[in-house]
Amino acid sequence: MTLTDDAGKAPVLSARGVRVSFGGVAVVKDVDLELYPGEVVALLGENGAGKSSLMKVLAGVYSPDTANVIVEGESVHLGSVSHARSHGIAMVHQELNLVDNLSVAENIALGREPGTGPGLAAVVNRKASVKQAKDALEQVGSRVDPRTLVGRLSLAQQQQVEIAKALAQDEVRVLLMDEPTSSLPEEQAQDLMSLIHRLRDAGLAVVITTHRIPEAFAVADRIVVMRDGNKVAEYDPNDGKTSREEIVNSLIGRELTTLFPDKRTEVGSVALELEGMSGGIVEDVNLVVREGEILGLGGLVGAGRTELARLVFGCDPLTAGSIWVDGQKCRIRGPRDAVKYGLGFIPEDRKRDGLVLGQDIEMNLSLPNLGKWSKGGVLSLRQLASKAEDAIGSFRVRTRSYRQPVGTLSGGNQQKVVLAKWMAVPRRVLILDEPTRGVDVGARQEIYTAIDEIARSGVAVLLISSDMEELIGMSDRIAVMAEGRLQGVLEKEEVSQAYIFKLASQLESVS
Ligand SMILES: Nc1ncnc2c1ncn2[C@@H]1O[C@H](COP(=O)(O)OP(=O)(O)OP(=O)(O)O)[C@@H](O)[C@H]1O
Ligand SMILES: [Mg+2]
């Protein structure tokens, strides 16, 4: 006999008493989860709540202490990724798992189960793999050329490739998507939502994690909230009663008042001036950022915002233009020079640029701070440890100790370490690229407070963000880019979401 729900449908997957621990500490504590065909479940919770760990058990990545899993009425053992796959369970990971120096087609072929598809052989059989990749990409609405190297793609495009790769295996019944929209701007997140709804309508059970609450409301048929490894609540977002506030309070376990700090009223003299900056797709950008000011940088994906930040920080070469800090012309040939002039840069892709995953928190924090935290060139280990503890405390990084390798922290907590790492450096200018990507609401408020404090201490802040609410909530002025060029700079009074969007899509221009 099969258990059925009220509507008479049997769950495609039922997991009971899932328990996962690391180093003797339980991070998922006896969680029950039922998934039905043709439904979307949003799994919400703070950074470190155990969302990814729960999903990884279902995908056969982590082996749980205990778990009773039933797929289509049959008790199964999900001992490995290929086991899980053979039961129709696929996962798109939070940190993308693509190989940069292989092509899109090769990456998709590698995701296929040997035996059910061409597997490794497809990497050799180029023509077939390109055709297959094309079909898989079409399914997710991507127009990426399968022959492109993955390393050349934007994060949004890589995300599409990941999903195509997950769907390329045979007969997917359960699709687990861990923060698939965190690297996507609004419009592309919308596209992904439509794709998820199409997959649901085709009968899949889809589980998605996200830190954007409105998104959970828009996409999900059911919302499941986790806190500290426990499942604490379930909601029906479409019952007309459930409010966003209720969900936020349930997931952080306290009431959240205001998200953004009060606006700063005093700005000083010009700290950073960019003159005729060109390089890559960036063309002739002129900007000033004053001491104590937060200048927001908005635009659509591909507008050249990250590229501009990389030029300023010396990651990519300038073809023309100059950078001035406190009225002094700088010669920046690489990030090391940039740091010397008092610049800090928190990059968008933490896995690639921001962290050494195999090293612990303490070591990661110390990298840009070596000069400051050492006396006469000798590093004080005790001081280092206490700094690491401070940073963990002020950003509420959820970790067992500062000795924990950064790669084993939850995604949002890794982001907090990147922030802590750069926030501690003395500098004139701080450039932040999508600083709250993948960070939960509670921690977002703490990060906003930290950014505000840095600005108030006299640092000029350049804040790149695709989150309109964040851009408007944090910035004193907002510069908008499109196609590598500056479209205009909006003063406080002029700022509105519609106006920024028009500038970003080049529907309007400012004198
Ligand atoms: N491989 C691992 N080794 C040690 N600890 C781990 C490992 N994987 C996860 N953890 C710990 O388990 C806890 C839960 O992490 P998990 O990644 O499941 O959180 P999450 O809810 O997905 O958070 P986020 O929203 O930040 O992605 C964290 O404290 C994390 O450090
Ligand atoms: Mg996670």
Side-chain angles (χ1 to χ4, degrees), residues 48 51-53 94 178-179 209 211 410-412:
K51 305 177 297 292
S52 297
S53 301
Q94 180 170 6
D178 201 0
E179 297 194 28
T209 63
H211 289 292
S410 80

Side-chain angles (χ1 to χ4, degrees), residues 21-23 25-28 45-54 56 62 94 178-179 209 211 226 350 398-400 404 407-414 438-440:
S21 47
F22 293 104
V25 181
V27 299
V28 177
E46 281 189 294
N47 297 131
K51 305 177 297 292
S52 297
S53 301
L54 175 61
K56 284 179 186 169
Y62 282 172
Q94 180 170 6
D178 201 0
E179 297 194 28
T209 63
H211 289 292
M226 283 184 79
R350 57 181 173 259
R398 218 174 285 193
T399 170
R400 287 192 300 278
Q404 188 171 342
T408 64
L409 293 177
S410 80
N413 281 306
Q414 290 185 14
V439 170
D440 70 54

Side-chain angles (χ1 to χ4, degrees), residues 29 54 63 121 124 132 147 159 216 239 276 280 294 331 362 382 387 441 477 484 507:
K29 305 166 183 167
L54 175 61
S63 55
V124 185
Q132 257 155 11
R147 281 162 300 216
Q159 184 65 261
D239 65 1
I294 298 180
R331 270 178 67 89
E362 181 184 282
R382 197 175 326 133
K387 292 284 180 194
V441 269
R477 291 182 301 142
L507 297 172

Side-chain angles (χ1 to χ4, degrees), residues 10 133 143 162 210 230 281 328 341 468 472:
R143 282 189 295 272
E162 273 280 29
T210 175
N230 295 298
I281 69 159
Q328 186 198 357
Y341 286 111
M468 278 294 179
I472 295 172

Side-chain angles (χ1 to χ4, degrees), residues 402-476:
Y402 52 80
R403 295 265 178 231
Q404 188 171 342
V406 166
T408 64
L409 293 177
S410 80
N413 281 306
Q414 290 185 14
Q415 181 73 355
K416 292 188 215 169
V417 175
V418 180
L419 287 167
K421 170 176 149 180
W422 284 107
M423 296 276 198
V425 190
R427 78 231 134 236
R428 299 295 298 134
V429 178
L430 179 62
I431 305 172
L432 301 133
D433 196 357
E434 308 287 356
T436 61
R437 191 168 71 118
V439 170
D440 70 54
V441 269
R444 233 159 69 195
Q445 185 196 30
E446 286 145 27
I447 289 170
Y448 293 150
T449 307
I451 297 174
D452 175 64
E453 275 167 12
I454 280 178
R456 281 179 203 273
S457 77
V459 169
V461 177
L462 186 63
L463 171 68
I464 301 175
S465 177
S466 297
D467 182 331
M468 278 294 179
E469 196 194 4
E470 172 172 301
L471 203 61
I472 295 172
M474 289 299 291
S475 311
D476 298 308

Side-chain angles (χ1 to χ4, degrees), residues 477-494:
R477 291 182 301 142
I478 296 178
V480 182
M481 285 182 75
E483 291 181 6
R485 290 173 169 274
L486 197 63
Q487 302 298 308
V489 181
L490 304 180
E491 298 296 328
K492 223 172 272 180
E493 317 76 56
E494 301 173 287

Side-chain angles (χ1 to χ4, degrees), residues 206-218:
V206 183
V207 182
I208 165 176
T209 63
T210 175
H211 289 292
R212 298 177 183 166
I213 312 291
E215 192 173 280
F217 270 85

